[in-house]
Amino acid sequence: MIIYILKRILSLIPVLFVVSIAIFFIIHLTPGDPAATILGIEATQEQIAELNEQMGLNLPLYQQYIQWVSGVLQGDFGQSYFMKESVTEAIWSHLGPTASLAILAEIVALVIAIPIGIFAAYRRGTMVDQSLMGVSLIGMAVPSFLLALLLMLFVGVYLQWLPVAGYKPLSKGLWEHFQYLILPAISLGAIQAALVARMTRASMLEVLDANFIKTARSKGVYEYKVVLKHALRNAFLPILTVIGQSFGTLVTGAVVVETIFNIPGLGQLIINSIVRRDFAVIQGVVLFVSLIYVTINLVIDLLYGIVDPRVRLERK
């Protein structure tokens, strides 16, 4: 198992290497000059050229890439052109809101999706099944930004139950922290809830027809144990894959929701950096988020062996 884990970790290196190349060259080949943005419209060409030289932006792209990668390998993502801090410090200062939002959105998605998927599969073909799958289809079709605006208007403005925008850190109190994240989490987690619900239903349908389920029922096992213990455990492997992918999507896809609700997370950081042409921050944040995504997939892959012992046997 340890050898398998090491192999999986080593397999991430070429993936991240290709991602780093793509990120760096795409960002640096897009139009825009950070030095001109910093100095403003009244700057002369000489001033812009001098600042570009100071920031190392006049070097060939491959040299800039080597310098950047060398720094990343030592834990240094570079220096922001606009903020008076390193990219690493900027990422850590904005990671908390994004992490809180993604975790809460995942909880919202799972609390809604798993029971709906199980119940729809158990009542397959009935009006209940069709209604629940119809609701999940609506959840997949409604964009997160539209749902966010509807929630802000109805829950925040009309009912005044929750704040419509802003953010309070966890140090200000648990309720103060979460009341600002409930509406963004619902907006972000609705689509993932719909996906997980449909996958749960499909996986449960396959297992509920299996012979070992019929055997368990013939032995008089309580129906809730048949569904939750025998069926759900054997159907959980594909569900786990979707959960892992959905959490990665929540982390990487929080940009729009964070912007709408004015949450100072990684999404807002990268939007502001794009506007300022702050290349160092953009490439640092995108690479960091990519690292989170592949790490989540690695963890999910390793959890297969815990959920299903047959996977462990296949690896041996």
Side-chain angles (χ1 to χ4, degrees):
M1 189 66 180
I2 294 175
I3 295 175
Y4 174 78
I5 294 173
L6 291 175
K7 285 182 178 177
R8 289 289 291 113
I9 292 174
L10 290 175
S11 69
L12 300 183
I13 294 175
V15 174
L16 292 173
F17 177 65
V18 173
V19 169
S20 71
I21 292 176
I23 293 169
F24 184 87
F25 286 95
I26 289 174
I27 291 173
H28 281 261
L29 291 175
T30 53
D33 188 338
T37 307
I38 293 172
L39 294 174
I41 57 175
E42 296 182 355
T44 64
Q45 288 299 321
E46 290 76 15
Q47 291 173 320
I48 294 173
E50 184 180 354
L51 187 56
N52 271 327
E53 186 174 357
Q54 291 176 6
M55 294 191 297
L57 295 176
N58 59 341
L59 295 173
L61 277 182
Y62 76 90
Q63 288 188 16
Q64 293 184 48
Y65 173 75
I66 292 172
Q67 288 181 357
W68 177 60
V69 168
S70 301
V72 169
L73 292 175
Q74 299 173 46
D76 180 12
F77 283 78
Q79 193 72 23
S80 169
Y81 303 149
F82 289 84
M83 296 180 287
K84 295 180 178 178
E85 60 183 350
S86 67
V87 175
T88 306
E89 291 172 338
I91 289 173
W92 283 117
S93 64
H94 289 79
L95 181 61
T98 299
S100 294
L101 176 59
I103 292 171
L104 191 59
E106 186 70 34
I107 292 172
V108 168
L110 296 184
V111 167
I112 296 172
I114 300 291
I116 285 179
I118 294 173
F119 197 61
Y122 189 70
R123 301 295 300 274
R124 62 180 147 184
T126 64
M127 185 65 75
V128 175
D129 178 24
Q130 293 173 4
S131 301
L132 291 175
M133 288 302 100
V135 172
S136 70
L137 195 61
I138 294 172
M140 292 172 63
V142 177
S144 57
F145 74 88
L146 180 59
L147 182 58
L149 294 175
L150 291 174
L151 288 172
M152 290 173 76
L153 183 64
F154 185 70
V155 181
V157 177
Y158 181 70
L159 297 176
Q160 296 185 347
W161 285 353
L162 292 167
V164 295
Y167 175 78
K168 288 285 180 66
L170 193 56
S171 58
K172 298 291 183 183
L174 195 61
W175 172 241
E176 289 292 322
H177 179 63
F178 281 112
Q179 69 173 335
Y180 282 90
L181 295 176
I182 293 174
L183 296 184
I186 295 173
S187 308
L188 195 58
I191 293 178
Q192 304 307 320
L195 291 172
V196 175
R198 297 183 78 83
M199 175 55 73
T200 303
R201 178 184 179 276
S203 300
M204 288 291 291
L205 284 179
E206 290 182 9
V207 176
L208 285 173
D209 285 333
N211 289 330
F212 70 90
I213 295 295
K214 295 174 184 174
T215 303
R217 282 174 170 155
S218 67
K219 289 181 177 178
V221 177
Y222 290 116
E223 192 64 15
Y224 77 91
K225 284 188 176 179
V226 171
V227 174
L228 298 180
K229 184 178 179 181
H230 297 278
L232 181 60
R233 180 170 183 177
N234 286 277
F236 202 67
L237 213 56
I239 300 171
L240 185 64
T241 304
V242 175
I243 291 172
Q245 291 176 347
S246 72
F247 188 69
T249 304
L250 290 173
V251 174
T252 57
V255 176
V256 175
V257 172
E258 285 183 3
T259 304
I260 292 174
F261 287 96
N262 195 27
I263 298 173
L266 292 176
Q268 195 177 82
L269 174 64
I270 200 167
I271 291 292
N272 292 336
S273 301
I274 291 172
V275 173
R276 297 167 176 167
R277 305 289 191 275
D278 198 343
F279 293 163
V281 177
I282 299 171
Q283 61 201 25
V285 173
V286 175
L287 183 63
F288 181 76
V289 171
S290 302
L291 178 62
I292 291 177
Y293 192 86
V294 296
T295 304
I296 290 171
N297 279 280
L298 172 64
V299 172
I300 294 298
D301 197 16
L302 298 177
L303 285 176
Y304 285 171
I306 299 174
V307 176
D308 190 346
R310 292 172 297 180
V311 177
R312 289 200 297 267
L313 291 174
E314 288 173 6
R315 288 169 185 166
K316 291 178 181 177

